[in-house]
Amino acid sequence: KNEVFDALRRYAKPSQLWELYAFSCDPSTVDKKSDPKMRLMKEYHRLLSEGSEFEVEKYYFRNNWRLTTVNSSYSLCSTYPSQLIVPKSISDEDLWQASTFRAGRRLPIISWCNPVSGAVLARSSQPLVGLMMNFRNNADEKLVSALCTQNVDANLPPRKLYIVDARPRANALANGAKGGGSESSSNYPKSEVLFLGIQNIHTMRDSLSRLRDYVDAHGSISSNGSSSAVSLVGDRRNRGSTWGGGSLNSMTQFSSMLGEWLNHIQNILVGASWIAAQIAQESASVLVHCSDGWDRTTQLIALACLLLDPYYRTFDGFQALVEKDWLAFGHPFAERLGIPTVSENGGSQYELLRQPSVGNLTSSPSRGSLGTPGSSSNTSVQSQTSNNSSPILLQWLDCIAQLLRLYPAAFQFSSVSLLFLLQLYGHANTRSLHGYA
């Protein structure tokens, strides 16, 4: 009992960062099955059908895709996993050259493979084509083209490649002034470039903020009588209160703000559904990206995987999906939740990336726009969190909740599981807002 009490007291009020439970109870102290790298490898082997009973599928995947350890030290890309699925025709040297052409060196990497048709779902960040869209990279074009393999069925027409830019077209062009931009289909054979028009993190944050402020002032309950999702995330003053409006004006105002939020949810759902449809119905391959490739891209990729692969709609599969596309591919949870991290040299407040459980804090790479290292800044933690926080994970969970309402029998889990994640999200968000993070 004394040991339990001491442990609780130590973890509840750690005197230094490394005494946090997350660092003292790492996978090496528990079980090999708890090693995130091992779990990711298991998921990769499942995707590559190495356990498949169909020899045709196994032969196809052995001859088209491979696992590479080129990023084992995270030197190729600090925000990508240590092992990557890439086309077999692409060498590690090609990968190094292609990475220089993508923001944050987040080059095109396969996230999911269709074991029947051979179509793939890939992800990346924006290409660095520049303002005039005249910069090119042979290795990048070779890598993207290699995603579009021949169909397993030789009688089918050549496979098409869709390059899906999650941003509005105007935003993508504006990024050209910073060195970014979007692809030109003329540089990528058999490809078509499309824009989904999903807004950036700042627009999403402002949309939720307006809705949350209204709920804070008036309270809200959902249609089934329980606390609404927005209330769980942001009702800081009137926790547990019920609908306090009643006037036509207040109801109209609430409907307007809720409609704005749901419009963003609809755009994400429509985009992910369209991506899944092209892979399932056309046997096309799809490459998805936004600006940095870790917000809208993650939402779309993870949601499309959920639609395409029933395994991801099970408890184990859902965990594998979150670990693969959210954690392993570097979604900046701390920034988006508004939780400041520790910096010993006065630099970026978000430097706890790819950290081992022991080591020097300052040895980790920091995130930078368009692949540039994070620079030192005297800006306060509060201003940094307010600039970068956004309900990206909340939106994704909201999208899944909408699917659950439509197709409850398609999922092994229910909205209760999502609510648990949502409560954790709301707890972290509320703590950061009050300065307790």
Side-chain angles (χ1 to χ4, degrees):
K1 291 182 180 180
N2 290 336
E3 291 180 359
V4 173
F5 176 76
D6 291 340
L8 288 174
R9 183 173 58 182
R10 183 170 64 254
Y11 293 135
K13 294 184 177 181
S15 59
Q16 54 185 343
L17 178 68
W18 301 117
E19 291 182 0
L20 287 172
Y21 179 77
F23 295 110
S24 61
C25 186
D26 60 74
S28 63
T29 65
V30 183
D31 194 321
K32 285 294 184 182
K33 293 181 181 179
S34 297
D35 186 347
K37 291 183 180 180
M38 294 298 294
R39 292 199 299 270
L40 183 62
M41 280 298 299
K42 180 180 178 181
E43 175 59 13
Y44 279 166
H45 284 294
R46 187 191 73 85
L47 288 174
L48 293 175
S49 296
E50 294 196 4
S52 173
E53 59 181 325
F54 302 105
E55 290 299 323
V56 175
E57 293 176 9
K58 292 168 68 174
Y59 175 83
Y60 179 86
F61 280 96
R62 287 197 204 102
N63 285 270
N64 285 278
W65 319 117
R66 68 182 179 94
L67 275 172
T68 176
T69 58
V70 67
N71 198 39
S72 58
S73 62
Y74 304 107
S75 54
L76 174 71
C77 177
S78 62
T79 56
Y80 267 8
S82 59
Q83 300 205 41
L84 308 167
I85 302 178
V86 297
K88 197 168 187 178
S89 60
I90 303 299
S91 67
D92 286 351
E93 180 60 31
D94 290 330
L95 297 177
W96 278 103
Q97 294 179 16
S99 68
T100 62
F101 191 64
R102 295 281 168 169
R105 304 180 68 91
R106 293 173 66 89
L107 68 163
I109 295 296
I110 296 169
S111 179
W112 186 81
C113 313
N114 188 319
V116 178
S117 67
V120 300
L121 177 59
R123 60 183 297 165
S124 71
S125 61
Q126 65 180 332
L128 306 181
V129 297
L131 182 60
M132 305 304 295
M133 297 183 63
N134 56 349
F135 293 120
R136 299 178 61 177
N137 182 290
N138 291 333
D140 181 81
E141 293 174 14
K142 179 181 177 183
L143 172 57
V144 173
S145 297
L147 300 175
C148 197
T149 60
Q150 291 184 344
N151 276 303
V152 176
D153 188 347
N155 297 321
L156 294 174
R159 191 187 310 281
K160 189 170 184 177
L161 172 67
Y162 290 101
I163 301 176
V164 177
D165 193 323
R167 304 167 292 181
R169 183 189 295 269
N171 293 23
L173 295 176
N175 268 269
K178 303 177 184 178
S182 195
E183 296 86 350
S184 171
S185 58
S186 61
N187 297 334
Y188 299 88
K190 297 179 289 184
S191 71
E192 181 179 346
V193 180
L194 301 100
F195 297 87
L196 296 183
I198 300 173
Q199 297 298 327
N200 61 26
I201 61 171
H202 311 293
T203 300
M204 302 305 187
R205 180 184 64 244
D206 293 343
S207 176
L208 179 62
S209 180
R210 285 189 289 271
L211 180 57
R212 186 179 60 196
D213 287 345
Y214 186 86
V215 173
D216 281 356
H218 299 279
S220 177
I221 57 173
S222 64
S223 58
N224 62 5
S226 61
S227 297
S228 69
V230 176
S231 178
L232 286 169
V233 173
D235 189 359
R236 302 185 297 279
R237 295 190 298 271
N238 299 315
R239 178 70 66 186
S241 62
T242 57
W243 177 257
S247 68
L248 180 61
N249 180 59
S250 63
M251 294 175 67
T252 302
Q253 186 180 3
F254 177 75
S255 297
S256 175
M257 288 180 288
L258 181 60
E260 177 187 315
W261 171 260
L262 291 178
N263 185 57
H264 295 312
I265 299 299
Q266 181 187 36
N267 289 341
I268 298 169
L269 279 167
V270 168
S273 299
W274 186 91
I275 291 168
Q278 308 317 304
I279 295 174
Q281 298 174 8
E282 287 190 23
S283 297
S285 288
V286 181
L287 169 64
V288 182
H289 71 75
C290 48
S291 296
D292 295 311
W294 53 48
D295 290 313
R296 288 166 284 193
T297 299
T298 299
Q299 289 176 327
L300 291 167
I301 290 286
L303 202 55
C305 285
L306 198 78
L307 295 171
L308 287 164
D309 195 333
Y311 172 67
Y312 292 133
R313 299 193 291 272
T314 67
F315 282 108
D316 290 342
F318 190 72
Q319 176 184 344
L321 178 64
V322 171
E323 290 187 329
K324 173 173 68 76
D325 281 308
W326 286 86
L327 295 170
F329 277 92
H331 176 69
F333 284 98
E335 291 177 77
R336 297 301 174 256
L337 287 173
I339 302 174
T341 56
V342 177
S343 175
E344 292 182 345
N345 60 358
S348 171
Q349 297 295 321
Y350 300 102
E351 293 183 344
L352 286 180
L353 305 172
R354 298 290 178 206
Q355 284 293 341
S357 56
V358 293
N360 186 354
L361 275 175
T362 59
S363 65
S364 66
S366 58
R367 295 179 186 273
S369 177
L370 297 182
T372 59
S375 59
S376 297
S377 172
N378 294 324
T379 307
S380 67
V381 174
Q382 182 62 34
S383 64
Q384 289 192 42
T385 56
S386 64
N387 286 337
N388 294 304
S389 62
S390 190
I392 301 302
L393 178 63
L394 172 63
Q395 284 186 318
W396 186 65
L397 294 175
D398 199 341
C399 289
I400 299 174
Q402 304 300 331
L403 293 173
L404 270 166
R405 295 184 68 177
L406 293 172
Y407 311 105
F411 294 81
Q412 190 181 58
F413 52 87
S414 68
S415 58
V416 174
S417 302
L418 298 183
L419 185 60
F420 174 72
L421 290 176
L422 191 60
Q423 288 171 330
L424 293 178
Y425 174 94
H427 176 67
N429 192 42
T430 301
R431 286 178 62 85
S432 67
L433 287 169
H434 285 281
Y436 298 144

